[in-house]
Amino acid sequence: QVKLVESGGGSAQAGGSLRLSCAASGYIRRQLCMGWFRQAPGKEREGVVVIDSSDEPTYADSVKGRFTVSQDNDKKILYLQMNSLKPEDTAMYYCAAEYCYRVGNRFGVREYSAWGQGTQVTVSS
């Protein structure tokens, strides 16, 4: 029922920046807990940052201090500002959402039922 669409991916040099967006639409009957995940080829999908029901973000150690998440509650848009990009950040980035009351481990991929199509981020050395 909830539809997510990511945008903003692209290519950047190491040390550069990109800004991703995720728009949520559809019939949303409860508060959504949302987050950003990423998956590189041959690797498991991993959480980048997740937001709890109090709108408090929790970042993966690998991106802490470099990435910043923000949310436009009125428009239901989630952003991810990525600075100081590293080649290790290269991955397909996904927006995820689930009703907060259904989420246990917020970094658990299987906790989320709604996913965007993904947007590719490529960082060159």
Side-chain angles (χ1 to χ4, degrees):
Q1 189 65 41
V2 178
K3 181 181 179 181
L4 304 175
V5 179
E6 304 99 332
S7 62
S11 299
Q13 294 286 326
S17 298
L18 288 171
R19 187 178 187 238
L20 309 182
S21 300
C22 170
S25 62
Y27 179 67
I28 303 172
R29 60 183 179 87
R30 296 286 190 274
Q31 181 186 14
L32 289 177
C33 280
M34 303 179 68
W36 287 98
F37 293 75
R38 66 186 183 185
Q39 187 169 21
K43 296 184 178 180
E44 297 181 350
R45 189 170 300 187
E46 63 178 1
V48 176
V49 57
V50 295
I51 305 172
D52 65 18
S53 59
S54 298
D55 295 327
E56 289 294 327
T58 301
Y59 297 89
D61 289 341
S62 59
V63 307
K64 194 175 301 181
R66 300 187 297 118
F67 291 8
T68 303
V69 69
S70 59
Q71 189 168 15
D72 184 335
N73 291 322
D74 294 333
K75 297 184 176 181
K76 301 185 185 303
I77 302 175
L78 190 72
Y79 303 96
L80 183 65
Q81 180 66 47
M82 305 185 295
N83 298 326
S84 302
L85 284 164
K86 303 176 180 180
E88 305 93 276
D89 297 318
T90 296
M92 185 74 74
Y93 282 70
Y94 298 91
C95 178
E98 182 57 90
Y99 294 118
C100 291
Y101 77 94
R102 297 176 65 92
V103 176
N105 174 19
R106 296 190 307 279
F107 273 96
V109 170
R110 296 177 180 178
E111 299 288 330
Y112 298 86
S113 61
W115 293 86
Q117 82 286 355
T119 185
Q120 178 67 40
V121 171
T122 302
V123 183
S124 302
S125 299

